[in-house]
Amino acid sequence: MIELKTPAEIQRMHVAGRFVAEVLSEIGRLADVGVNLLDLEHHVRGMIKRRGAQSCYWDYAPPFGKGPFRNVICLSVNDAVLHGLPHDYTLRDGDVLSADLAVSIDGWVADSARTVVVGTAAEEDLRIIRATEEALEAAIEVARPGNRLGDISAAIWAVACDYGYPVNTEFGGHGIGRTMHEELHVPNKGRAGRGLKLRPGLTLALEPWFARTTDQIVYDPDGWTIRSADGSRTAHSEHTVAITEDGPLVLTRRETEKSAQNA
């Protein structure tokens, strides 16, 4: 069942969203050559505890995972792109790190992801990160009342095509609100004008992710970490978005993004 949120409920999700944005900004600041993924994991645990929030990942056990997940953030490196299980790995110069976080505050959830380069950035890595960010902004732009779910998918796909990146449709965006995953799957590939008509109160986590040269995925032995099947590098961008009468409201926008938009 699809639950439309009231303006007051959307504001409560926005509280969670601001905290998620704060944590991901902190991860971007801390991710550096010589930093261990487990140190990042424990730093986020501390932030969550101090805020009185709840991790949506801890004890998460969906059908596709080898659960339960016993971490509070997904950290995926290089060819890993989704559900990366934090482990004893020290970041190296040029690594690509995707961080994905979902938390609940007072019963309302927000979910967001970002990809950063550690140390020296290769242009091809910056390019694929930029592609996911542009695809996310294109998806947000069409998340308006009267449009359809397929318009969001088509917007993401169009950016991927412009950059020449293939698109996997097994994992994509989703409904969100009282729980991390609610009704509606939002594929990263689709046709405009198709699907559910978007209405005010609908809240979605939109998350384009691309691999450089494949749309196929493989799983690590840990049962969680998803990688590109051919080992090509990846990127992932995600925001929680509320559809309102006035258009899309991004609930997980980071301060650096706000500054860039206002520049």
Side-chain angles (χ1 to χ4, degrees):
M1 183 179 69
I2 299 169
E3 179 187 11
L4 299 178
K5 282 70 174 183
T6 67
E9 289 169 339
I10 289 172
Q11 285 307 309
R12 293 175 71 181
M13 290 180 66
H14 206 168
V15 171
R18 283 190 284 264
F19 175 69
V20 168
E22 176 188 341
V23 176
L24 289 182
S25 293
E26 180 80 346
I27 290 296
R29 185 182 68 81
L30 293 175
D32 202 354
V33 177
V35 173
N36 193 287
L37 296 184
L38 291 178
D39 291 335
L40 295 177
E41 159 74 18
H42 286 284
H43 186 81
V44 175
R45 288 188 192 186
M47 292 184 74
I48 290 173
K49 182 177 181 179
R50 289 191 295 274
R51 180 58 179 81
Q54 290 184 315
S55 168
C56 294
Y57 294 158
W58 191 268
D59 277 344
Y60 183 52
F64 57 80
K66 187 178 179 181
F69 198 86
R70 286 299 174 91
N71 296 91
V72 299
I73 189 168
C74 295
L75 297 172
S76 307
V77 180
N78 295 334
D79 60 326
V81 64
L82 297 174
H83 311 152
L85 199 65
H87 60 286
D88 184 14
Y89 176 83
T90 300
L91 292 169
R92 304 168 184 171
D93 188 46
D95 276 348
V96 174
L97 174 67
S98 294
D100 190 351
L101 177 72
V103 304
S104 173
I105 295 178
D106 296 328
W108 293 93
V109 176
D111 187 4
S112 185
R114 68 179 302 199
T115 300
V116 298
V117 178
V118 177
T120 309
E123 177 53 38
E124 55 267 31
D125 294 331
L126 294 176
R127 185 176 188 271
I128 194 169
I129 293 171
R130 188 163 59 246
T132 62
E133 291 172 346
E134 289 181 11
L136 179 55
E137 292 303 323
I140 292 168
E141 176 59 30
V142 297
R144 299 176 179 276
N147 286 348
R148 294 189 176 272
L149 197 65
D151 296 324
I152 294 175
S153 300
I156 294 171
W157 188 22
V159 174
C161 290
D162 286 345
Y163 275 86
Y165 295 130
V167 176
N168 175 283
T169 56
E170 295 171 71
F171 291 92
H174 50 88
I176 187 170
R178 298 177 190 272
T179 62
M180 178 170 57
H181 287 133
E182 296 187 347
E183 284 296 322
L184 286 182
H185 170 60
V186 188
N188 288 329
K189 179 178 180 179
R191 296 180 62 181
R194 300 291 184 90
L196 181 79
K197 182 175 285 188
L198 305 180
R199 298 169 57 191
L202 188 63
T203 48
L204 301 170
L206 306 179
E207 49 179 316
W209 62 271
F210 307 142
R212 199 178 292 165
T213 54
T214 184
D215 62 0
Q216 301 299 304
I217 57 175
V218 294
Y219 287 80
D220 272 8
D222 64 30
W224 281 101
T225 305
I226 295 177
R227 298 182 183 273
S228 62
D230 64 358
S232 60
R233 287 197 167 187
T234 62
H236 178 202
S237 294
E238 177 182 17
H239 274 312
T240 295
V241 180
I243 296 169
T244 76
E245 294 281 5
D246 298 323
L249 176 63
V250 180
L251 305 182
T252 49
R253 185 78 76 188
R254 298 183 297 279
E255 288 299 324
T256 52
E257 291 181 308
K258 294 175 186 177
S259 299
Q261 285 193 331
N262 294 332

